[in-house]
């Protein structure tokens, strides 16, 4: 199957470990044959990142660079157990989609029930399309509740390369991932591949993620990266509920 896009990348605007611009990222995406690239800077609650005005103005940014179509999103921070996120609906409506993630600098890890409630409540937000790195071992999510909520709220779960790939920077949590993926397969929950590349170097670093999918015979039709029209419909259908 062909991977058409990477759902999760950061440029210099996120302020973390890279000076690469969106132009640098798009050039690399073109070189490796991606048709689309999602740019998902950290939303404002993350230290050192950009502000709400930046995200609001992305609607005027070029939609194509070097033949690669750019999809502008954000990686939102879940800020409390109610699932509130750090950009308002008026800003999120200027973006194509968004990822919501738990980050320890913004949301202190506590119990499985509190961590899981925070992310499930965020999934109820019609602007939230993807849960970022649910396998982050800093937090303890309940895979059964997470996959039920993903199905109910039409939210995809990310298979994030940073905890899987040899070049990744997050501690791996393979037992959780395998449990989550088996539950996605059984319940028909969509997943999405994201490199979480800060800068251009790790864009579409999916070899190890795809090995896991093959090992558990994960259905191709539940991987949104293989079908850009399905990804767009998936986002559009949830936004219709706004
Ligand atoms: Zn993140
Ligand atoms: Zn990220």
């Amino acid at each position: 199957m062909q991977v058409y896009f990477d759902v999760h990348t950061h440029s210099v605007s996120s302020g973390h470990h890279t000076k690469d611009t969106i132009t640098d990222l798009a050039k690399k995406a073109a070189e490796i044959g991606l048709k689309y690239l999602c740019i998902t800077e950290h939303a404002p609650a993350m230290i050192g990142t950009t502000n709400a005005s930046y995200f609001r103005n992305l609607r005027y940014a070029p939609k194509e660079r070097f033949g690669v179509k750019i999809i502008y999103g954000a990686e939102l921070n879940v800020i409390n157990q109610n699932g509130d996120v750090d950009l308002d609906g008026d800003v999120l409506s200027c973006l194509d989609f968004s990822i919501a993630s738990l980050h320890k600098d913004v949301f202190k890890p506590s119990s499985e029930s509190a961590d899981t409630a925070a992310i499930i409540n965020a999934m109820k937000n019609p602007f939230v399309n993807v849960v970022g790195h649910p396998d982050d071992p800093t937090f303890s999510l309940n895979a059964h509740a997470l996959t039920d909520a993903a199905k109910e709220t039409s939210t995809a779960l990310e298979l994030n390369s940073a905890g899987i790939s040899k070049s990744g920077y997050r501690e791996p949590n393979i037992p959780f991932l395998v449990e989550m993926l088996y539950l996605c397969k059984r319940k028909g929950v969509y997943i999405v591949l994201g490199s979480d590349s800060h800068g251009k170097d790790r864009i579409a670093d999916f070899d190890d993620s795809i090995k896991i999918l093959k090992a558990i015979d994960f259905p191709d039709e539940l991987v949104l990266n293989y079908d850009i029209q399905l990804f767009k419909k998936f986002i559009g259908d949830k936004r219709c509920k706004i």
Side-chain angles (χ1 to χ4, degrees), residues 16-241:
H16 285 241
H17 316 298
T18 186
K19 293 177 180 169
D20 292 347
T21 62
I22 293 176
T23 300
D24 296 326
L25 270 62
K27 197 180 275 185
K28 173 72 185 290
E31 283 167 13
I32 61 176
L34 291 185
K35 305 281 184 233
Y36 295 80
L37 179 68
C38 301
I39 309 279
T40 52
E41 310 297 1
H42 284 298
M46 181 66 79
I47 293 165
T49 191
T50 187
N51 58 24
S53 297
Y54 175 88
F55 289 100
R56 193 178 281 112
N57 287 320
L58 283 175
R59 68 192 135 158
Y60 305 118
K63 295 287 181 195
E64 186 171 331
R65 303 186 195 205
F66 309 104
V68 176
K69 294 197 170 53
I70 311 291
I71 297 173
Y72 293 100
E75 184 180 11
L76 302 167
N77 295 282
V78 180
I79 58 176
N80 57 33
Q81 211 173 308
N82 295 331
D84 292 327
V85 293
D86 52 344
L87 284 175
D88 294 336
D90 66 322
V91 180
L92 292 172
S93 65
C94 301
L95 299 174
D96 297 316
F97 85 111
S98 70
I99 298 172
S101 303
L102 292 170
H103 295 116
K104 67 179 183 335
D105 294 337
V106 178
F107 182 90
K108 295 288 169 232
S110 56
S111 62
E112 181 182 291
S113 61
D115 296 353
T116 304
I119 205 77
I120 286 177
N121 285 329
M123 291 158 89
K124 294 173 186 166
N125 183 332
F127 289 109
V128 169
N129 307 106
V130 175
V131 171
H133 44 73
D135 60 317
D136 182 347
T138 311
F139 298 93
S140 37
L141 300 184
N142 182 295
H144 290 271
L146 180 73
T147 48
D148 280 345
K151 185 76 183 173
E152 276 166 30
T153 62
S154 300
T155 311
L157 301 176
E158 184 189 29
L159 189 51
N160 183 297
S161 304
I164 303 170
S165 165
K166 284 179 261 319
S167 62
Y169 50 83
R170 193 177 293 112
E171 285 296 308
N173 190 357
I174 302 297
F176 173 86
L177 264 185
V178 169
E179 182 187 21
M180 183 189 91
L181 291 170
Y182 270 118
L183 291 168
C184 288
K185 183 176 164 179
R186 193 199 303 161
K187 298 176 187 179
V189 172
Y190 287 107
I191 67 155
V192 66
L193 301 170
S195 68
D196 211 350
S197 185
H198 284 68
K200 62 181 168 32
D201 292 344
R202 294 179 52 259
I203 291 176
D205 175 19
F206 296 144
D207 289 354
D208 293 311
S209 300
I210 289 170
K211 273 184 203 156
I212 291 177
L213 294 178
K214 286 200 171 135
I216 66 167
D217 197 22
F218 195 85
D220 290 339
E221 57 270 25
L222 291 178
V223 183
L224 293 171
N225 305 66
Y226 298 152
D227 187 341
I228 186 68
Q229 297 311 328
L230 182 61
F231 178 63
K232 288 181 173 176
K233 181 176 183 320
F234 184 76
I235 295 166
D237 286 353
K238 187 163 182 181
R239 285 193 166 211
C240 284
K241 294 171 188 157

